[in-house]
Amino acid sequence: MKVLKVDHIGIAVKNLEESLNFYTEVLGLKNEGIEVVEEQQVKVAFLPCGDSELELLESTTPDGPIAKFIEKNREGIQHIALRVDNIEEALAYLKEKGVRLIDEKPRYGAGGARIAFLHPKATNGVLLELSERE
Ligand code: ZN
């Protein structure tokens, strides 16, 4: 398994448009466009930050994972994504090591990336996402 870099940091927000104002108007980051990822019940915006990105996530349903996260923890950092060179290999390796996974198989995330989440119990409480992009 090879980790290439921090791909992005996922931030759960209640209102994407409002949050974007701060990141674009105040911090001067560029919004690469808003995308709805049906499977994960989220609306996301990616803001490149040098070699990695910030991902703002708003729930599209009152009972989606991001809505539940905000209910429990308020808005804030929800996950950290690591870019790997080969996600199948990484998942097979982690499984062999007995690491608890949320996704045993990769699924599609925003921007066509292939992603998989590790269980926070295996990562000292951090929701880690693995991400592979072309
Ligand atoms: Zn993410």
Side-chain angles (χ1 to χ4, degrees):
M1 160 173 193
K2 192 170 181 203
V3 176
L4 303 174
K5 64 172 189 170
V6 172
D7 188 80
H8 63 268
I9 295 171
I11 301 169
V13 302
K14 283 185 186 159
N15 184 309
L16 192 57
E17 276 75 18
E18 265 176 33
S19 308
L20 272 172
N21 277 336
F22 170 74
Y23 289 95
T24 58
E25 303 301 318
V26 181
L27 296 188
L29 298 174
K30 197 169 168 267
N31 172 22
E32 296 246 289
I34 293 173
E35 185 183 341
V36 173
V37 184
E38 296 288 351
E39 201 189 314
Q40 291 173 60
Q41 300 166 298
V42 287
K43 192 161 81 171
V44 304
F46 275 97
L47 303 128
C49 261
D51 207 26
S52 55
E53 298 182 78
L54 296 182
E55 177 187 33
L56 302 181
L57 306 110
E58 179 194 314
S59 187
T60 53
T61 58
D63 59 348
I66 292 299
K68 282 185 191 150
F69 176 88
I70 291 175
E71 215 169 274
K72 218 168 128 189
N73 311 284
R74 301 190 189 167
E75 294 178 292
I77 294 179
Q78 197 251 352
H79 67 272
I80 294 177
L82 300 176
R83 173 91 59 100
V84 294
D85 63 341
N86 183 321
I87 198 163
E88 265 96 12
E89 245 174 57
L91 288 173
Y93 169 82
L94 292 169
K95 219 171 152 183
E96 194 190 290
K97 290 263 175 202
V99 174
R100 204 161 148 194
L101 303 171
I102 292 176
D103 301 304
E104 304 237 326
K105 279 185 198 149
R107 51 191 164 117
Y108 281 96
R114 297 202 305 141
I115 64 165
F117 285 96
L118 275 60
H119 199 285
K121 286 225 162 98
T123 58
N124 304 86
V126 178
L127 180 58
L128 268 190
E129 174 187 337
L130 302 181
S131 165
E132 182 195 325
R133 284 175 205 245
E134 296 297 303

